[in-house]
Amino acid sequence: MKYATDYGYEIKPVYGPADVQELDYARDLGDPGQFPYTRGYHANGYRSRLWTRRMTAGLGSSRDANRVLKKYREMGQTGGLCVIHDRPSSSCIDADHPIARRENGVLGWPGSSLHEFEELMEDIPLTGQSITLLGCCAPSALRLAYVVALAEKRGIDIHAVHGSVTESPFSNPFGQTDLQPFDLDMKLFLDSSEYILRNRIRMRTGLVGQHFQESGGNNAQVLAIELSMLKEVVSRLVNERGIEFDDVMRLPYQLVSIGTRFFEEIAKVRALRRMWARMAKERFGAKSEKSCQLLIAVHTSGRTMTYQQPLNNIVRCAIQTLAGAAAGCTAIDNATLDNAHAEPSPLAALMSLNTQHIVAVETGVADVTDPLAGSYFVERLTNEVEAAGYRILAEIDARGGLVAAIASGYVEAMLKEEANRKFRELEAKERLVVGVNHLAIAPEEEPFRIPVQEVEASDAEAIAERVAAWKKTRDLARVEASLRRLHADAGRGDRFNLMPAIIDAVKGYATAGEVIGVIRLARGLKYDPFDMIRCPFRLN
């Protein structure tokens, strides 16, 4: 059995005052609500407001996802909804694309048009809860346009809507890809971010460190990547788009993955708050204390949910939820007992939501802010992961920053090496996972079979046929005119903001494939990333 953190710090059998003798309370911790915010941003913690408790939805058609969202509300989902795109719409191709016909609605929502978003949100309010839509960078601009268009259609002031619908371009190299080149993703990210900030829209942008950790990265590497992402996107918005730093910091939030190593995960979140607070002041000259307070949301780790003995995942989810709460996160959405098999079944969703409610009201973790502060072990772990994170951050900076480090292959190699090391530890039983390499049983002996939710090939094809038929009912002259304007705007250079033209096209029911396709054409790329279909519109 290995007694060490995932980033290599050897864990002693006992900790005492000598392990934290260099810790200065005012400098390194402070009371909750005080710089450097290691202990959280609010003096009363969860007594003022509990974290947002939600589940990620998205399976089948838009109407199917709508029913799931309503069911989650009945189950006690509070504060917000969270929906993830399916692969075709994340890839900015339409449901009737030849590649999409067997993928529609599988592991996500087929959100390739305003029409789909209207169905998704039917009888669900846009206000009074946070609206979170996930799924790659390029479709972020479309998701923002959907929200703006639907708010206008319902007669709602867009400033009354809040949530997160945009993601940074770094989701692509670390997680699922939207098939767009990095420079296009970065441009669309900057355009959507600038539009949000200049129009004072209450939308956040997700910087998804979760993808890197779920792919095998360790906690110290994740801290370095998360801070590198923040530095990159904040610097570009300040230097390229001319937005004041303190205004920019209304935008980002960090989505972190919380695994089962309870104390290490709490230490990571505490370190992240402190590291960002210092960077905001020392590097960016933050004038507002709010700018030093990085909003942190948690996704309990899908990677740790095992295919074998799925009921064990309920315990893992509970431990991770408790860690996220003890660390002081703003929102939690949970992995589920059937995560290794499919999107959540009603049973799995109910168990995960109830896990959050039980942690919130029965454990007492919400009664005290930063309840593990002062623990010799936790404070030493916080210092150790911070120091290890800074070492990796220095390596990334030495390579010219995160974009350059990705382009050189450094980040990919680091991730691959770490993932392989974890696999070797499992093979050697240096790390034990119950039901996988410890206390395993034969599949036929498992006493429980989970009710897997599935999307049949016929269901995916039905979504494609429905979209193909719907496209013919649109005002095609209106669609073509809006896409012609977008094509012209997209040829005006990277500093010209495309969001007004994208919103106009979305209002006319242009689809994701059409909107991104004409932008690609204006940048000298093929209309279809798979080069299987041609642009059906006259753009000149």
Side-chain angles (χ1 to χ4, degrees):
M1 182 69 177
K2 185 175 182 179
Y3 296 101
T5 66
D6 68 349
Y7 52 91
Y9 168 66
E10 294 292 332
I11 296 174
K12 302 190 304 181
V14 67
Y15 285 77
D19 294 295
V20 292
Q21 62 184 350
E22 296 180 358
L23 189 74
D24 181 282
Y25 185 84
R27 181 193 67 202
D28 301 323
L29 295 178
D31 290 340
Q34 294 181 2
F35 189 88
Y37 306 111
T38 312
R39 304 195 61 197
Y41 305 131
H42 306 288
N44 291 325
Y46 293 131
R47 290 191 180 196
S48 301
R49 178 184 177 275
L50 279 172
W51 66 89
T52 298
R53 287 150 284 164
R54 65 193 186 194
M55 285 288 302
T56 302
L59 186 71
S61 69
S62 295
R63 291 193 177 103
D64 292 333
N66 173 266
R67 285 191 288 270
V68 169
L69 288 175
K70 291 173 179 174
K71 189 68 176 175
Y72 285 175
R73 287 166 67 88
E74 294 172 6
M75 290 177 180
Q77 178 166 274
T78 63
L81 60 82
C82 185
V83 178
I84 191 166
H85 276 285
D86 65 2
R87 292 297 306 125
S89 56
S90 280
S91 303
C92 300
I93 60 175
D94 295 342
D96 59 344
H97 189 287
I99 293 290
R101 287 181 174 268
R102 296 182 65 85
E103 293 279 346
N104 294 319
V106 177
L107 300 180
W109 159 63
S112 59
S113 73
L114 175 60
H115 178 66
E116 300 288 351
F117 187 59
E118 288 170 343
E119 290 189 343
L120 176 75
M121 296 301 295
E122 185 177 352
D123 298 324
I124 295 175
L126 282 173
T127 58
Q129 62 180 339
S130 64
I131 308 294
T132 299
L133 305 175
L134 302 171
C136 294
C137 176
S140 293
L142 291 154
R143 295 193 294 265
L144 175 59
Y146 297 161
V147 172
V148 171
L150 185 56
E152 181 179 307
K153 192 169 183 179
R154 291 186 180 181
I156 296 170
D157 182 355
I158 187 60
H159 301 99
V161 182
H162 75 284
S164 172
V165 294
T166 55
E167 289 183 30
S168 83
F170 298 107
S171 294
N172 280 13
F174 301 150
Q176 58 187 9
T177 176
D178 56 31
L179 305 181
Q180 311 310 318
F182 185 82
D183 63 335
L184 175 54
D185 274 326
M186 181 60 80
K187 182 205 165 24
L188 290 172
F189 164 76
L190 294 174
D191 284 0
S192 57
S193 297
E194 182 183 20
Y195 187 87
I196 288 169
L197 292 168
R198 296 203 185 279
N199 289 280
R200 313 294 291 185
I201 298 172
R202 296 168 59 206
M203 281 288 166
R204 293 274 188 171
T205 284
L207 303 181
V208 188
Q210 170 200 350
H211 289 325
F212 186 80
Q213 188 161 357
E214 292 292 85
S215 298
N218 68 43
N219 280 325
Q221 292 169 340
V222 167
L223 282 178
I225 292 293
E226 287 167 344
L227 288 165
S228 293
M229 286 193 287
L230 279 160
K231 281 170 56 178
E232 186 70 39
V233 301
V234 168
S235 296
R236 287 185 183 240
L237 285 166
V238 170
N239 298 326
E240 296 180 18
R241 298 300 172 107
I243 304 171
E244 291 291 329
F245 171 75
D246 289 288
D247 288 330
V248 169
M249 283 312 297
R250 293 189 289 107
L251 186 74
Y253 80 93
Q254 193 72 57
L255 181 59
V256 304
S257 178
I258 293 287
T260 312
R261 301 280 293 180
F262 183 77
F263 298 103
E264 295 173 35
E265 300 296 344
I266 293 169
K268 174 183 68 180
V269 174
R270 298 173 85 243
L272 177 58
R273 278 198 296 264
R274 182 163 69 197
M275 293 168 82
W276 171 250
R278 289 175 172 163
M279 183 180 287
K281 280 211 168 177
E282 295 166 10
R283 181 183 179 90
F284 292 103
K287 300 181 181 69
S288 166
E289 289 300 307
K290 233 13 186 173
S291 301
C292 301
Q293 299 174 3
L294 176 64
L295 190 68
I296 298 173
V298 157
H299 182 79
T300 62
S301 175
R303 175 178 54 86
T304 63
M305 301 293 118
T306 62
Y307 185 90
Q308 304 92 330
Q309 301 181 31
L311 286 179
N312 293 344
N313 295 332
I314 298 174
V315 181
R316 295 185 179 105
C317 180
I319 293 168
Q320 294 166 14
T321 301
L322 184 61
C329 66
T330 301
I332 299 178
D333 60 279
N334 279 359
T336 58
L337 68 94
D338 54 2
N339 218 108
H341 296 75
E343 286 298 285
S345 67
L347 171 65
L350 179 61
M351 287 302 305
S352 282
L353 278 172
N354 280 348
T355 296
Q356 292 203 45
H357 295 315
I358 291 167
V359 167
V361 303
E362 295 187 24
T363 65
V365 72
D367 296 349
V368 178
T369 309
D370 194 22
L372 292 178
S375 157
Y376 301 128
F377 181 45
V378 170
E379 296 299 355
R380 182 58 184 262
L381 280 179
T382 302
N383 291 345
E384 288 291 338
V385 74
E386 179 182 47
Y390 275 133
R391 288 193 293 271
I392 298 165
L393 182 61
E395 292 184 22
I396 293 172
D397 286 344
R399 287 167 168 77
L402 186 56
V403 174
I406 292 171
S408 70
Y410 168 77
V411 174
E412 182 180 0
M414 180 172 65
L415 174 61
K416 184 176 181 179
E417 179 183 354
E418 184 64 21
N420 287 340
R421 184 184 66 79
K422 284 184 169 66
F423 180 77
R424 289 193 299 270
E425 288 183 353
L426 288 173
E427 287 282 287
K429 293 193 174 183
E430 294 175 355
R431 297 282 190 194
L432 300 181
V433 179
V434 174
V436 177
N437 67 348
H438 182 60
L439 302 176
I441 60 176
E444 61 270 15
E445 296 174 349
E446 290 194 6
F448 176 74
R449 292 288 182 269
I450 64 171
V452 175
Q453 290 212 122
E454 295 180 309
V455 175
E456 302 293 339
S458 58
D459 298 327
E461 178 65 25
I463 293 171
E465 293 300 325
R466 182 170 164 273
V467 167
W470 165 77
K471 281 183 175 181
K472 297 174 184 176
T473 69
R474 300 175 297 171
D475 181 347
L476 293 177
R478 164 81 168 85
V479 172
E480 186 168 298
S482 67
L483 292 174
R484 193 177 300 119
R485 172 197 171 186
L486 176 59
H487 182 260
D489 284 356
R492 296 186 182 185
D494 277 350
R495 298 294 178 90
F496 191 89
N497 198 305
L498 298 183
M499 278 310 305
I502 290 173
I503 291 170
D504 180 57
V506 162
K507 287 179 179 178
Y509 293 98
T511 64
E514 293 163 352
V515 168
I516 300 301
V518 300
I519 295 173
R520 286 173 58 89
L521 284 175
R523 296 175 70 87
L525 303 168
K526 294 185 183 298
Y527 175 81
D528 172 25
F530 294 102
D531 197 22
M532 297 178 71
I533 58 176
R534 299 289 178 265
C535 179
F537 304 102
R538 292 176 291 110
L539 301 176
N540 298 314

